Amino acid sequence: MYVPKENQPKQGGAAAKARDGEKGGKRKIVAQNKKARHDYAIVDTYEAGLVLTGTEVKSLREGRTSLTDGFVQIDRGEAWLHNAHIPEYHQGSWTNHSARRKRKLLLHREEIDKLESKAQETGHTIVPLALYFRDGRAKAEIALARGKKEYDKRQTLREKQDRRESDRAIAAAKRKQRDA
């Protein structure tokens, strides 16, 4: 029996959320820069396309990428991703890429101008947060960030640990109440 799509029950999960609400579809994350979230206070995030060669895309799909030393620099009105390590493709030949070459980021002119003006302020920098595929296209999530002081990092870790402990205590109390 045929049931129109609007009358079908909605399915839950990440795919449904991506299909229903989020623009662009599902993200397949290749690499994340967790150290950046620890070392910097994130002010604003942007999604940028990446200009890559064929062997870089194949290597990204294998998922052995590192962003820990990466940073973004704006040079002559163009955004460039530096020091992102995308290893050479093992089946590549003379067409292989160098692992740490600079890669061009694709952003709108207004976004580049805004990032450039904010990055020139004292204490601000542009860092990559993640590399992922969205609808088969390689994307980078970059952030305008402000460096944290050492005591800020400790405070963040302490808050995270306190939150984790309170969540455990609440879960234990619920379990105890359910079992009783």
Side-chain angles (χ1 to χ4, degrees):
M1 178 172 109
Y2 173 75
V3 178
K5 188 170 185 172
E6 58 270 359
N7 294 338
Q8 293 177 357
K10 289 193 174 186
Q11 297 176 340
K17 288 178 187 171
R19 185 177 56 247
D20 294 339
E22 190 178 320
K23 177 187 168 191
K26 191 175 175 187
R27 288 174 23 156
K28 180 182 177 256
I29 294 180
V30 176
Q32 285 186 324
N33 190 356
K34 294 179 182 177
K35 187 177 180 183
R37 293 196 185 270
H38 175 73
D39 291 343
Y40 299 99
I42 306 301
V43 177
D44 202 5
T45 60
Y46 298 89
E47 180 182 65
L50 280 167
V51 177
L52 300 172
T53 64
T55 55
E56 285 176 321
V57 174
K58 290 180 179 188
S59 186
L60 269 179
R61 291 195 189 281
E62 288 180 348
R64 298 180 300 130
T65 305
S66 172
L67 291 174
T68 53
D69 299 331
F71 64 95
V72 177
Q73 195 171 37
I74 297 179
D75 184 33
R76 293 188 221 130
E78 294 180 337
W80 295 89
L81 176 63
H82 293 269
N83 279 355
H85 185 264
I86 300 176
E88 290 185 354
Y89 184 58
H90 61 36
Q91 292 180 342
S93 59
W94 57 272
T95 59
N96 238 335
H97 61 279
S98 71
R100 289 205 181 263
R101 75 176 188 91
K102 68 178 190 177
R103 294 161 179 94
K104 187 174 181 179
L105 294 173
L106 303 173
L107 290 162
H108 291 283
R109 171 62 46 210
E110 301 86 36
E111 292 174 332
I112 292 174
D113 293 340
K114 184 177 178 184
L115 278 170
E116 187 173 23
S117 66
K118 291 283 189 179
Q120 289 174 352
E121 293 178 11
T122 306
H124 285 83
T125 187
I126 308 168
V127 292
L129 296 178
L131 286 178
Y132 54 90
F133 285 100
R134 175 171 282 162
D135 296 330
R137 299 186 190 277
K139 303 282 184 181
E141 182 180 17
I142 61 173
L144 179 66
R146 187 177 343 99
K148 285 185 184 177
K149 303 283 188 216
E150 197 63 37
Y151 57 84
D152 289 336
K153 294 177 192 177
R154 285 193 298 266
Q155 180 66 27
T156 304
L157 286 174
R158 196 174 301 117
E159 289 171 0
K160 189 175 179 180
Q161 185 178 7
D162 291 345
R163 204 174 319 115
R164 197 177 296 143
E165 287 176 4
S166 67
D167 289 345
R168 284 183 188 146
I170 291 169
K174 284 183 180 179
R175 243 183 280 118
K176 188 175 181 181
Q177 185 180 21
R178 185 181 62 220
D179 293 340

